[in-house]
Amino acid sequence: MTKATKPARRGTGPRGEHNREEFESLVTKAAEGLVRREGLRGLGMRRLASVIGYAPNSIYNGVGDLDAVVMRVNARTLERLHAALTGAIRPDAGPRDNALALADTYLAFVASDPQVWSLVFEHSLAPDSTFPDWYAAALAQATDLVDGVLEPLIPDASERRQAVATLWAGLHGLASLSTSNKLAVLTPEPPRDLARLLVGRFLRP
């Protein structure tokens, strides 16, 4: 007599309609939609539970607290960014051209979904909390891709790591000012032109 196969683990929702991965996806996409429409202030556990038709305790048990939900949304955003950046790289292009293409793509990505992207930087964990491995991996995907593009121009790994952080911070500042309509206070120049100037000057021999 063979041992009975254990049933797949079900989600914690009262109807048992989803396994854990499906339930996490349901919660993440619903939270992303709320943030896209209303920003971080529109995201609360009771509101999220109401949107998906489950009790708040189901989310706590199946995904975690609100910090965990936000990190799931942010990890999904970083994965989408990684896909967009990957599509911008041309194998036959030089590293500077690819770096400029990444800058263009980054600005376009942020402009297309500013509320969801801002959540990556607006949300803060408690001082004694740490990012889980799966979130660190999602962030590393995007930064490692930029690191690879810059490697021919900046061979030293430590200097390249600093360059990635510097360019990322600069582009984020431009994108944030642009999407909040505050860049015009500083200059009438389009953000894409400024981003290309920043990257081009930074990577100049």
Side-chain angles (χ1 to χ4, degrees):
M1 183 175 178
T2 59
K3 188 176 180 180
T5 303
K6 296 180 81 174
R9 185 175 183 181
R10 308 305 294 171
T12 53
R15 297 185 298 277
E17 295 173 347
H18 309 282
N19 61 33
R20 181 170 292 276
E21 289 74 22
E22 291 168 345
F23 189 68
E24 285 177 353
S25 178
L26 176 69
V27 171
T28 301
K29 290 179 180 178
E32 183 182 285
L34 283 172
V35 172
R36 184 171 287 122
R37 292 190 300 272
E38 303 175 31
L40 179 57
R41 293 181 179 179
L43 181 60
M45 197 64 88
R46 289 184 180 277
R47 180 80 182 284
L48 179 58
S50 175
V51 168
I52 65 173
Y54 280 87
N57 280 345
S58 298
I59 301 175
Y60 281 111
N61 293 332
V63 180
D65 60 11
L66 195 59
D67 279 341
V69 172
V70 170
M71 281 191 290
R72 288 289 176 189
V73 174
N74 287 345
R76 174 177 155 84
T77 303
L78 290 167
E79 288 165 0
R80 291 193 294 117
L81 174 64
H82 176 259
L85 295 178
T86 299
I89 296 174
R90 290 171 39 213
D92 59 336
R96 282 185 180 79
D97 286 339
N98 276 329
L100 291 171
L102 291 182
D104 291 345
T105 302
Y106 179 85
L107 288 182
F109 182 89
V110 175
S112 70
D113 208 359
Q115 292 276 49
V116 173
W117 175 250
S118 68
L119 190 65
V120 175
F121 294 93
E122 286 183 12
H123 177 255
S124 301
L125 291 178
D128 58 343
S129 299
T130 57
F131 290 120
D133 291 342
W134 52 262
Y135 184 83
L139 178 59
Q141 266 193 322
T143 56
D144 287 352
L145 186 146
V146 179
D147 185 278
V149 167
L150 297 185
E151 186 173 5
L153 301 173
I154 309 175
D156 182 78
S158 178
E159 182 183 355
R160 192 168 63 252
R161 184 175 63 252
Q162 293 177 338
V164 171
T166 300
L167 287 173
W168 198 293
L171 291 172
H172 172 66
L174 280 173
S176 296
L177 287 171
S178 177
T179 56
S180 62
N181 297 315
K182 295 177 181 177
L183 185 60
V185 176
L186 298 174
T187 176
E189 298 294 326
R192 181 176 183 270
D193 291 354
L194 297 176
R196 284 181 156 256
L197 176 65
L198 171 66
V199 174
R201 289 294 183 93
F202 189 92
L203 298 178
R204 180 175 291 178

